[in-house]
Amino acid sequence: MVMFAMRKVNLRSVDLNLLVVLEALLEEKQVTKAAERLHMSQPAVSRALQRLRSMFADPLLVRSAEGYDLSVRAGQIIGDLKSLLHSVSQIISETEFSPQTSKQTVKIAGPDLETALYVPDLLAIMRQEAPEMRVELDSRPADYFEMLSRGDIHFAISGVAPQTAEDQFHRAILDVTDTALMMGAHHPLADNPITLDAYLAARHGFVSITGKGPAMMDSRLREMGKKRNTVLRLSSFMSVADFCEKTDLIFMLPINLIQKISLGRAVVTCALPPELKADPLPFYLYWHARDHHDGMHRWIKNAILQHAGQHSVYKV
């Protein structure tokens, strides 16, 4: 039995352009026609053929009565060559995303109220344009940027900026809103403008989505050399109205969220003391850089942003 050893090839030395020329040569069986097909000069294609013959250690094209024909080796590789070049083209080409046929699941994380504000519009669009796609919402208190980094979610909705590795993330603005104070309608401060001293003397609650650190207002007051009386920390916005109605607690919240949770509730909205007023608070849609060019991500992002901003409220 005669055994043949396969010649080892250093792939780093293989020029992909030569394989494109080889495909044209093997299909046209003529240097001139291959050159015309590739929009190359005939001498350039001839030089490429010489390099190919050296690479394969085979003539590839051999003279025949009708001009040129394929060598045995060329006949063996032409099918695999076409498949290889097609696969390379598919790898490099952008995958086309079709919402009508996609069955992908979109994973979105964010505080309960933010997702309630922005995701229903997405589902309405998906019902018409992407009927087989699904959405998974995660509103548990968490570090949503860490979840994005791990690839656990596709998008995060947040009014908080990442503390580290900002270059990993892309974002688009969803909304801009002022902040205001929310308290029960029975609260002693509900009927008059609130001074800084009255604010500091009141009892406060706040919502911490990550469950870590003080509220932004507490950090700001510390810089001013002042402190408020904070007695409650929540991990969700959904119960804030209950605490306002049944206690004397005051919450500082974005106005668009106050509008959502105050409907039909015995609560009032008041302006912050002038000394504590800040710039309007932006809400962003975040996604990881790894997904920035993905077709599905781009479609979902555009669908969410299509209705973004219609919930914006700027003043008390």
Side-chain angles (χ1 to χ4, degrees), residues 215-277:
M216 288 186 293
M217 179 55 74
D218 291 310
S219 298
R220 184 176 176 189
L221 287 172
R222 189 180 302 111
E223 293 173 358
M224 297 170 61
K226 299 184 181 297
K227 183 179 180 181
R228 64 177 180 170
N229 182 20
T230 302
V231 299
L232 177 68
R233 180 171 70 181
L234 301 174
S235 61
S236 168
F237 292 100
M238 298 305 289
S239 61
V240 170
D242 295 304
F243 284 98
C244 288
E245 284 183 330
K246 298 175 182 178
T247 75
D248 62 348
L249 295 181
I250 295 176
F251 287 81
M252 186 189 77
L253 300 171
I255 296 176
N256 58 355
L257 302 189
I258 290 177
Q259 284 201 327
K260 187 76 173 178
I261 62 178
S262 63
L263 292 175
R265 307 303 295 266
V267 297
V268 296
T269 303
C270 302
L272 282 158
E275 299 92 333
L276 299 180
K277 284 193 175 180

Side-chain angles (χ1 to χ4, degrees), residues 50-299:
Q50 293 305 314
R51 292 178 62 190
L52 286 163
R53 283 170 167 166
S54 175
M55 180 189 301
F56 284 91
D58 187 270
L60 300 173
L61 291 178
V62 293
R63 290 189 180 277
S64 67
E66 299 179 356
Y68 284 90
D69 205 348
L70 304 186
S71 69
V72 173
R73 177 86 168 105
Q76 292 172 339
I77 66 173
I78 186 169
D80 290 338
L81 176 64
K82 293 177 69 66
S83 297
L84 172 64
L85 292 178
H86 177 73
S87 296
V88 171
S89 177
Q90 290 292 102
I91 291 171
I92 297 174
S93 300
E94 181 181 6
T95 302
E96 184 176 349
F97 173 72
S98 172
Q100 281 290 340
T101 58
S102 175
K103 296 183 179 180
Q104 291 172 268
T105 297
V106 185
K107 298 180 179 180
I108 304 173
D112 42 23
L113 274 181
E114 277 93 328
T115 55
L117 279 171
Y118 308 116
V119 178
D121 291 327
L122 168 65
L123 289 175
I125 295 172
M126 290 173 63
R127 181 180 179 185
Q128 299 298 322
E129 301 181 27
E132 296 190 76
M133 290 188 69
R134 299 174 61 247
V135 173
E136 288 185 3
L137 288 181
D138 191 340
S139 296
R140 293 172 296 175
D143 185 335
Y144 300 129
F145 299 106
E146 184 177 333
M147 295 172 72
L148 282 173
S149 294
R150 293 197 305 263
D152 295 341
I153 56 175
H154 299 115
F155 295 98
I157 297 173
S158 179
V160 180
Q163 298 300 308
T164 59
E166 290 188 51
D167 58 336
Q168 291 184 18
F169 308 107
H170 292 270
R171 72 182 186 183
I173 194 161
L174 288 169
D175 205 351
V176 179
T177 180
D178 276 333
T179 53
L181 301 177
M182 179 174 164
M183 65 193 76
H186 63 279
H187 199 286
L189 299 179
D191 297 327
N192 298 298
I194 299 176
T195 65
L196 178 58
D197 287 341
Y199 176 86
L200 295 175
R203 285 156 47 88
H204 297 271
F206 73 99
V207 178
S208 173
I209 300 305
T210 63
K212 301 176 183 177
M216 288 186 293
M217 179 55 74
D218 291 310
S219 298
R220 184 176 176 189
L221 287 172
R222 189 180 302 111
E223 293 173 358
M224 297 170 61
K226 299 184 181 297
K227 183 179 180 181
R228 64 177 180 170
N229 182 20
T230 302
V231 299
L232 177 68
R233 180 171 70 181
L234 301 174
S235 61
S236 168
F237 292 100
M238 298 305 289
S239 61
V240 170
D242 295 304
F243 284 98
C244 288
E245 284 183 330
K246 298 175 182 178
T247 75
D248 62 348
L249 295 181
I250 295 176
F251 287 81
M252 186 189 77
L253 300 171
I255 296 176
N256 58 355
L257 302 189
I258 290 177
Q259 284 201 327
K260 187 76 173 178
I261 62 178
S262 63
L263 292 175
R265 307 303 295 266
V267 297
V268 296
T269 303
C270 302
L272 282 158
E275 299 92 333
L276 299 180
K277 284 193 175 180
D279 293 334
L281 178 66
F283 285 85
Y284 292 100
L285 179 71
Y286 285 93
W287 61 97
H288 198 275
R290 76 169 72 86
D291 299 319
H292 186 59
H293 297 285
D294 179 69
M296 183 272 281
H297 281 76
R298 287 209 303 265
W299 189 87

